[in-house]
Amino acid sequence: MKFTLSWLKEHLDTGESLEKLADKLTMIGLEVEHIEDKAKALAPFVIAKVISAAKHPNADKLQVCMVDYGQVAKGEKPLQVVCGAPNARAGLLSVFSPAGTYIPGKNITLSVGNIRGVESHGMLCSAAELELSNDHDGIIELPADAPVGKSYADYAGLGDPVIEINLTPNRQDCTGVHGIARDLAAADMGKFKDQAPKQIKGEFPCPVTVKIEDEKLCPGFALRLVRGVKNGPSPEWLQKRLTSIGLRPINALVDITNFMTFDRARPLHVFDAKKVKGNLVVRRAKAGETLVALDGKTYTLDDSICVIADDKGVESLSGIMGGEESGCDETTTDVLIESALWNEINIAQTGRKLGVNSDARYRFERGVDPAFMVPGLEMATKLVMDLCGGSPSEVVVAGKSHGDDRIVEFPIDEVKRLTGLDVPLPEIKRILTHLGFLLVGKEPVVKVAVPSWRSDVHGKADIVEEIVRIFGVDNVPMTPFERGDAPRKPVLTQLQNRTRRAKRALAARGMMEAVTWSFVSKPQADLFGGGKAELALANPIAADLSDMRPSLIPGLVAAAQANANRGYDDVALFEVGQIFKGDKPEDQFMAASGVRRALASSKGNGRFWTGSMSVDAFDAKADALAVLAASGAPVQGLQVVAASESKNFPAWLHPGRSGAIQIGPQNVLGYFGELHPRALEALGAEGPLVAFEVTLQKIPDAKAKPTRAKPLLELAAFQPVSRDFAFIVDRKIAAGDIVRAAQGVDRKLITTVTVFDVYEGKGIEDGKKSIAIAVTLQPREKTLTDQEIDAVAAKIVAEVTKKTGGVLRG
């Protein structure tokens, strides 16, 4: 919403500064977004006279001008300016900017320059360089009586700042300058000028009648004919009002409707009466009807759209935009002025459907003052008669000309209860009265009549809001919440914290978060451990979304395949969400799942110079372990076991290329690995695809009070020692067994044990394999001697041999 300071002062008698008014507007909820003060921006620009203009000695299209901007009368010499404008000539009056001036249209600050060997001490300016218009073909030409040396902004009347405010959707009353002035007056910024429009007596019956077919779409409609008008350009004051806020003056009749829209938040429409055939009817459009609107576009309508029509067809989109055929131009002599009330929701739906944004739609979809429907028509009639002449008819009104009364029972102490402010009763009455509310009764409960223009006020809290925003939100006391003696409880639950940490951990590993359907098809539910009758939806939205999901994997696989189908083979997706194993609350779990897909599909359509890069079960394992570590699982106590050793291993994973992560056989935290070919076929996906799924609720809670405090980072003063071992063991022995056996030799001294090689083949017996591990020893009290290191190594070999039957490889 834009308006000028002078326009505001037409409705508010105030002596406050622009800065103070702007601050107060923001404080009362009408946030000021921008102030354009051209007088301030163009203060250095002055009117100057070109005394002489000679051809530049070194350039054909440049002239060397001697310029007087008022200093000659003071006995000083004229300034030399190099100018390239084609209209620069001796005797011309124009706008001059001396060196040191900021040029807004060019975003530069002038300095004394040397142009083709000739010194220039300023610039003669075009309208585009001052951002007054797009005209850059020549410098500004002023009348011969323009005063040399005077500020151009003062001379051109540019000293009227333009204020732009951001309105919340509920403040439809402030879509007009009149309503903004009312709020400022209530905030002690001046005296409100509330002049009620005078009734214009009709000289003859209106020959055109109005019929409303559906009062839900149009609660009220007022119409008046003015005969014998002379339409033409609107007066200068009205054109300045409109151009200052970015509107283009068209003609007096149209300009009056635009003025009413921004001045009183009362959109109107004018029809050329001679172009209207018969009477008007407000109805729903018929499917297939079209209208060429005032914006020159043709709109195809349907029966959800409300229109104003005459005997020959649609003439206007109700409350949004008029039709081109019945619009007013310079030939108009008889004008029909329409002022109506429209259904806010229908206006918004029509505007969105047709893609039409207009100032009328902006106001009607928020709701206009119903009680101002007829007074607004009277005010517009007065303007038409003043600017265009003519004789008015009587007013025709169809439907209601006012809204419903609203009375709110308001306890005075509600202000204190909701805000903590002690606002005296006289101040409450003053604020509400200045805002247009009417108070009846005495304390402790008064009746408050809500004004017709405040359709957003319905209850006690709304009235408190009005009092507080005018009294001052900055006066609300800062009151801390009572903490009590007990320590404050965490805001987030443990599961919520785990969910957040899991998302961050997976995102940090380069995976993208996906949000998939909570429903899957019946075959997918069966494959992933669901398919129970209690998980089937009674009314599914689609046949392939019939069951609650028992796993997040189907949705993620579908998303990965959809990306692959569009050429994005390299995807890594994760989701943290609910899965359903039954219909009881204890059967619903929060899971963290993810899938990774190779850069090239199984058909080999990768296009990378390094060849196709594939993923494997270890990628999924690393993702799962990252989730568990971030969620607070005891990493040192986790066991990774093969599919054959895990209880209830899922059928959707490849039995030889997958595993489970558990804390003992009774608490399996999650699974990882390559998807089974049958699962890929059932999901309609191409491999290779690896996935993992971790159930966050199964992670055991951390100890409330640790037995001893451990430092977050413990740095040793002595050099660590690393030793490698290779053991030949039976093929069925898991590498994890060897790692645990070596780790158990001395948990204080041995800090890490990692597998770095598994080998089967030449030099190894059939049924055997070689597993190589790296063991890191971290001394804490003294540097280890060779004998001490050898002793630990011997214990590791003995323990691995004892636990696994392995033999140290020679």
Side-chain angles (χ1 to χ4, degrees):
M1 172 65 190
K2 289 183 177 181
F3 57 94
T4 63
L5 181 60
S6 64
W7 196 343
L8 176 66
K9 289 184 177 181
E10 291 291 324
H11 299 276
L12 182 70
D13 186 4
T14 180
E16 301 291 352
S17 66
L18 173 64
E19 291 74 17
K20 195 168 182 180
L21 288 170
D23 289 343
K24 183 59 71 173
L25 281 169
T26 299
M27 290 305 297
I28 62 177
L30 308 178
E31 182 182 2
V32 175
E33 285 197 330
H34 181 64
I35 297 176
E36 184 182 19
D37 191 351
K38 287 191 179 295
K40 188 175 181 180
L42 302 180
F45 295 84
V46 294
I47 298 173
K49 182 176 183 179
V50 180
I51 297 175
S52 65
K55 184 180 177 182
H56 194 291
N58 302 317
D60 293 337
K61 295 184 178 181
L62 297 179
Q63 297 187 73
V64 180
C65 302
M66 302 305 294
V67 176
D68 171 22
Y69 64 98
Q71 84 279 24
V72 174
K74 300 176 184 178
E76 299 177 17
K77 293 181 180 180
L79 285 181
Q80 180 174 276
V81 176
V82 177
C83 182
N87 61 333
R89 61 188 182 275
L92 175 69
L93 289 174
S94 187
V95 179
F96 172 70
S97 56
T101 303
Y102 173 75
I103 309 297
K106 290 185 173 293
N107 193 27
I108 60 171
T109 299
L110 291 180
S111 60
V112 177
N114 190 293
I115 303 175
R116 297 286 185 91
V118 177
E119 201 170 65
S120 181
H121 294 267
M123 176 189 286
L124 292 168
C125 302
S126 68
E129 287 161 344
L130 271 60
E131 293 188 334
L132 298 178
S133 74
N134 294 323
D135 183 10
H136 53 76
D137 293 334
I139 57 177
I140 297 172
E141 295 194 27
L142 299 177
D145 59 352
V148 174
K150 184 178 179 180
S151 167
Y152 174 69
D154 293 341
Y155 170 79
L158 301 177
D160 196 5
V162 178
I163 305 166
E164 183 176 2
I165 62 174
N166 182 22
L167 291 176
T168 52
N170 65 309
R171 293 308 308 275
Q172 51 81 22
D173 59 308
C174 287
T175 57
V177 182
H178 190 74
I180 297 169
R182 181 190 295 111
D183 268 24
L184 284 172
D188 279 337
M189 287 289 105
K191 184 178 179 181
F192 183 42
K193 300 178 183 179
D194 189 14
Q195 298 177 354
K198 294 182 180 180
Q199 184 176 356
I200 305 296
K201 185 178 180 180
E203 299 179 9
F204 55 90
C206 183
V208 180
T209 61
V210 180
K211 178 183 177 183
I212 301 174
E213 291 188 354
D214 188 347
E215 291 194 357
K216 291 182 180 178
L217 296 180
C218 178
F221 195 107
L223 186 70
R224 162 175 269 163
L225 173 69
V226 181
R227 285 177 179 163
V229 300
K230 185 178 181 181
N231 194 21
S234 53
E236 184 181 1
W237 70 265
L238 181 51
Q239 291 194 34
K240 279 190 174 181
R241 283 276 188 270
L242 300 179
T243 55
S244 66
I245 59 173
L247 296 181
R248 178 175 59 90
I250 299 173
N251 57 58
L253 293 175
V254 175
D255 292 352
I256 287 170
T257 63
N258 287 333
F259 173 76
M260 289 290 298
T261 298
F262 282 86
D263 188 71
R264 290 300 192 104
R266 175 66 255 184
L268 304 166
H269 186 62
V270 287
F271 300 90
D272 189 323
K274 292 184 178 179
K275 299 175 183 177
V276 174
K277 303 302 179 183
N279 296 317
L280 296 180
V281 58
V282 179
R283 61 171 172 83
R284 291 182 181 272
K286 299 173 184 176
E289 281 187 309
T290 60
L291 173 71
V292 180
L294 289 172
D295 60 1
K297 297 179 181 178
T298 300
Y299 297 97
T300 302
L301 314 178
D302 59 40
D303 60 4
S304 69
I305 296 172
C306 182
V307 298
I308 303 173
D310 61 5
D311 291 349
K312 68 176 183 293
V314 177
E315 295 293 350
S316 175
L317 290 174
S318 302
I320 297 177
M321 187 174 291
E324 189 176 68
E325 185 177 344
S326 59
C328 294
D329 53 29
E330 64 277 358
T331 65
T332 300
T333 56
D334 298 339
V335 60
L336 283 169
I337 310 173
E338 165 249 308
S339 178
L341 303 174
W342 306 106
N343 181 283
E344 296 90 344
I345 295 175
N346 182 260
I347 294 295
Q349 290 173 340
T350 299
R352 285 195 293 268
K353 179 177 290 186
L354 300 179
V356 182
N357 285 308
S358 67
D359 294 321
R361 174 195 164 183
Y362 179 82
R363 286 155 178 81
F364 278 124
E365 69 185 3
R366 285 160 172 76
V368 299
D369 180 4
F372 197 68
M373 181 181 78
V374 174
L377 179 61
E378 299 284 7
M379 185 174 175
T381 303
K382 178 70 165 55
L383 286 169
V384 170
M385 293 173 65
D386 289 345
L387 303 184
C388 304
S391 303
S393 74
E394 296 173 353
V395 175
V396 173
V397 177
K400 297 195 302 182
S401 61
H402 55 81
D404 299 327
D405 294 334
R406 280 168 292 149
I407 305 293
V408 177
E409 299 277 345
F410 183 65
I412 297 299
D413 60 0
E414 194 76 357
V415 179
K416 173 71 174 177
R417 187 181 74 83
L418 293 180
T419 69
L421 284 171
D422 284 311
V423 184
L425 180 59
E427 180 64 10
I428 291 176
K429 289 183 176 180
R430 187 199 69 79
I431 291 172
L432 292 178
T433 302
H434 278 66
L435 291 174
F437 294 82
L438 179 64
L439 278 71
V440 180
K442 297 181 180 180
E443 293 186 81
V445 179
V446 297
K447 292 185 178 181
V448 179
V450 181
S452 58
W453 56 83
R454 292 305 304 271
S455 59
D456 60 312
V457 176
H458 298 281
K460 297 179 291 185
D462 298 325
I463 295 175
V464 172
E465 181 183 354
E466 293 302 300
I467 295 168
V468 172
R469 72 181 182 88
I470 300 299
F471 186 74
V473 177
D474 51 333
N475 292 322
V476 176
M478 297 180 63
T479 307
F481 288 108
E482 289 292 335
R483 295 177 180 268
D485 297 331
R488 298 188 70 185
K489 295 181 179 180
V491 176
L492 299 179
T493 64
Q494 187 177 66
L495 184 59
Q496 288 172 327
N497 277 319
R498 286 177 179 174
T499 298
R500 291 189 175 195
R501 290 168 182 164
K503 289 182 178 182
R504 290 180 181 178
L506 294 172
R509 288 184 55 77
M511 304 186 78
M512 299 294 291
E513 184 175 9
V515 179
T516 64
W517 287 102
S518 296
F519 318 119
V520 294
S521 65
K522 182 68 165 61
Q524 291 176 354
D526 292 338
L527 176 62
F528 284 83
K532 300 177 182 178
E534 61 266 25
L535 294 180
L537 300 176
N539 186 23
I541 59 176
D544 57 349
L545 298 173
S546 60
D547 287 54
M548 300 300 292
R549 64 184 179 191
S551 170
L552 301 176
I553 301 298
L556 291 172
V557 170
Q561 186 60 40
N563 278 275
N565 293 341
R566 290 160 178 79
Y568 297 98
D569 290 331
D570 183 16
V571 291
L573 305 175
F574 78 89
E575 182 174 7
V576 181
Q578 279 191 313
I579 58 174
F580 305 87
K581 301 297 185 181
D583 59 347
K584 297 179 181 178
E586 58 268 23
D587 295 328
Q588 300 175 15
F589 302 95
M590 186 65 69
S593 306
V595 298
R596 288 184 183 269
R597 197 176 196 282
L599 288 174
S601 72
S602 58
K603 294 181 180 179
N605 62 344
R607 299 172 60 188
F608 299 90
W609 68 273
T610 56
S612 57
M613 299 174 62
S614 62
V615 293
D616 57 26
F618 295 104
D619 294 305
K621 174 186 174 184
D623 294 332
L625 290 174
V627 169
L628 290 168
S631 302
V635 179
Q636 296 296 330
L638 298 179
Q639 301 171 2
V640 180
V641 297
S644 59
E645 300 178 33
S646 177
K647 186 178 180 181
N648 300 322
F649 196 81
W652 47 271
L653 283 174
H654 193 297
R657 302 174 186 172
S658 57
I661 303 175
Q662 62 187 34
I663 304 177
Q666 301 303 318
N667 188 11
V668 179
L669 305 182
Y671 302 94
F672 66 89
E674 187 175 319
L675 287 178
H676 198 289
R678 286 197 299 268
L680 289 173
E681 183 179 359
L683 295 173
E686 298 178 5
L689 263 171
V690 297
F692 73 91
E693 186 156 85
V694 171
T695 306
L696 299 182
Q697 280 103 324
K698 291 186 177 181
I699 299 173
D701 295 339
K703 294 180 180 180
K705 293 183 179 180
T707 54
R708 58 180 179 178
K710 294 183 179 180
L712 295 176
L713 179 63
E714 189 175 357
L715 298 176
F718 304 99
Q719 184 73 20
V721 178
S722 181
R723 288 289 184 269
D724 297 342
F725 303 86
F727 296 94
I728 298 176
V729 296
D730 290 340
R731 182 181 293 171
K732 66 179 181 179
I733 298 297
D737 295 340
I738 296 176
V739 170
R740 285 190 289 274
Q743 186 80 54
V745 170
D746 190 335
R747 293 188 178 275
K748 186 177 180 181
L749 182 62
I750 299 174
T751 54
T752 57
V753 180
T754 56
V755 177
F756 67 87
D757 182 55
V758 178
Y759 173 72
E760 294 181 59
K762 186 177 180 181
I764 305 296
E765 297 179 32
D766 291 340
K768 300 285 186 178
K769 61 182 176 182
S770 170
I771 298 178
I773 61 174
V775 179
T776 301
L777 309 178
Q778 178 60 68
R780 304 191 183 278
E781 297 177 356
K782 66 183 184 66
T783 301
L784 295 176
T785 64
D786 289 342
Q787 292 80 3
E788 290 170 329
I789 296 173
D790 292 341
V792 174
K795 289 181 181 179
I796 291 173
V797 172
E799 189 68 16
V800 171
T801 301
K802 178 182 176 182
K803 294 287 182 67
T804 66
V807 178
L808 188 65
R809 184 178 175 185

